[in-house]
Amino acid sequence: MPDAVQPGAVRPGGRTARVREAVLQAAGDVLAENGFHGLDLGEVARVAGVGKTTVYRRWGSPGALAADLLQDMAERSLPRSRHGDVARDLRDNARLVVRTLTDPRQGRLFKALIAAALCDEQAAGALRRFYAVRVGEWAGCVTDAVERGELPPGTDARRVVTAVSAPLYYALLNTGEPLDEAAADRAAAAALAAARAGVMR
């Protein structure tokens, strides 16, 4: 469940950090425009304005570059909601997923990163770690709800959060059904109903 992060935002650091930021920004742009099959390291170097040798030496392959981009996105993605109401928190999560997947750049970028994970083991591992970080972050709203007595003891927080985003990704990648706030709210409500019924223990 992604957050609407923009790879390449300027952060403090020396030349190495600045080069990495420029390259990751360029990689995200190239991925969003051309897909994983079009992620050429030489083109990324040109767009980033850095030496081709630097890019090849540091990353070495499109898969390694996609993996580093995912790590950077996980590190900088937004924290979860803390409303003290699990229904609102899960709805926020679902709406954030929808906003990200329907963003003109971010939606294409995530499609490209999913495609990368299907054909490159480094990218696949990085995508799993990315989602582990994000699911782990949002799982806190479910564990808090269990402590407040809103959900049954033993509810699997990660499973609930995954159930929120799963139908949204299915719509994106398979059915082509509209991704909007109504779809987000339905996904959140369905996951919450299952959790309240004890299905997610």
Side-chain angles (χ1 to χ4, degrees):
M1 43 171 314
D3 289 345
V5 293
Q6 293 293 329
V10 176
R11 293 186 297 182
R15 181 180 180 280
T16 298
R18 289 194 299 272
V19 167
R20 179 173 181 256
E21 291 297 324
V23 169
L24 294 184
Q25 174 67 49
D29 291 343
V30 173
L31 276 166
E33 185 66 28
N34 301 328
F36 184 63
H37 68 280
L39 185 61
D40 177 77
L41 297 191
E43 173 66 7
V44 169
R46 185 192 67 77
V47 173
V50 304
K52 186 186 299 186
T53 302
T54 298
V55 175
Y56 277 95
R57 184 175 63 246
R58 175 157 184 174
W59 287 277
S61 71
L65 184 53
D68 195 21
L69 177 62
L70 280 161
Q71 178 182 330
D72 184 68
M73 291 166 67
E75 290 170 354
R76 296 187 297 107
S77 49
L78 299 172
R80 68 177 175 92
S81 297
R82 295 175 182 270
H83 291 301
D85 175 355
V86 68
R88 290 181 64 191
D89 287 336
L90 293 181
R91 188 167 59 244
D92 279 359
N93 177 228
R95 289 181 178 185
L96 179 58
V97 172
V98 165
R99 285 198 305 273
T100 302
L101 296 181
T102 57
D103 179 84
R105 181 183 188 273
Q106 293 298 96
R108 294 196 308 268
L109 175 57
F110 272 97
K111 283 182 179 179
L113 290 169
I114 291 168
L118 293 174
C119 58
D120 184 276
E121 189 52 42
Q122 277 184 291
L127 188 64
R128 287 192 293 269
R129 290 189 294 274
F130 173 84
Y131 284 114
V133 169
R134 297 314 302 147
V135 170
E137 171 69 19
W138 281 88
C141 70
V142 178
T143 55
D144 288 351
V146 172
E147 292 175 0
R148 292 192 301 266
E150 290 184 77
L151 294 175
T155 297
D156 187 329
R158 287 177 174 269
R159 186 171 295 175
V160 175
V161 174
T162 301
V164 171
S165 59
L168 304 174
Y169 275 94
Y170 191 80
L172 175 77
L173 299 172
N174 292 288
T175 68
E177 294 175 357
L179 280 173
D180 51 24
E181 279 199 355
D185 292 353
R186 284 194 301 271
L192 180 57
R196 283 173 169 164
V199 175
M200 299 293 189
R201 288 179 175 174

